[in-house]
Amino acid sequence: MSAPKSSTRKHTALPKAQILVEALPWLTRHHGRTVVIKFGGNAMVDEELKAAFAQDVVFLRHAGLRPVVVHGGGPQISRQLDRLGLESEFRAGLRVTTPETMDVVRMVLAGQVQRELVNLLNQHGPLAVGMTGEDAHIMAATKHLAEVDGQQIDLGQVGAVSAVDTGAIEALLDDGRIPVVSSIARSADGTGPGEVYNVNADTAAAALAAALDAETLIVLTDVEGLYADWPHSDDVISELSATELEKLLPELASGMVPKMEGCLYAVRNGVHTARVLDGRVPHAILLEIFTDEGIGTMVVPDAVPDQRNAEGPA
């Protein structure tokens, strides 16, 4: 006698059940923990990747995590500057920010990029709340001087985060919301009324992650991770310690420096892990956090070996 058809239907769904079971140890480990995600790269400009990112963040929220999104908007800012006939200039991987450029940065980040992201997240429910680092004094900054060829370079209204007040963000998290923070900070030194600073989004995300005592910092970018010997090899370093990363920093391309410096700062200031992921991969966040195979580079504090495997079942 043949088996009932219902038995066949149950078996076709078995792979889905196996995937959910594989995620269980990670769900248990991360439940109630804060995860700070820096949103950037292709994930920010490709419509399908943006939709997948929003789904990932909402999934984290419903899985019991406390996601915080920090974003910049480099491509969008550059396009708007070009439309206005203003030059985009970068030194040491950071945008030179004149007062005119700062007006555009403020408008694009808070008025365009943030609104689009908040709306994407809120397609799944009344979850996301947008703010900038100026709001509720979340981030204060002082002028950042970049070092180029051994000399200090003034980048204009580019700031280094000097203080973080997490009260407003924690209140939103406690209320089940998803804070979406633009990387703009108020002046900490009173250099003028209304003075604000453009803060690199990687730097801002790292500072917030440390202040929030986050479980992990995730940085989305347009490469697979940190390459071991670029451009001679495309092998990605799966995991490295803070000290190992510090030794590599002088050899990195300028665009990777703020990302990896942010990861280094985070793990040296209480964040358990920092990860650089390829934002061109749909659902990269879920693949990294809830599966056995990491897809990027993980930075861990010193003397915490093989953290990736340690995150699985005990």
Side-chain angles (χ1 to χ4, degrees), residues 91-114:
R91 306 292 298 274
L94 300 172
R95 185 185 299 275
V96 176
T97 306
T98 64
E100 295 80 10
T101 301
M102 189 67 230
D103 288 341
V104 175
V105 169
R106 215 172 182 181
M107 175 183 68
V108 171
L109 292 188
Q112 177 188 340
V113 178
Q114 182 191 97

Side-chain angles (χ1 to χ4, degrees), residues 170-194:
E170 289 177 327
L172 287 170
L173 291 171
D174 290 343
D175 193 39
R177 310 297 177 179
I178 301 172
V180 178
V181 186
S182 302
S183 57
I184 303 168
R186 68 183 182 90
S187 171
D189 50 20
T191 53

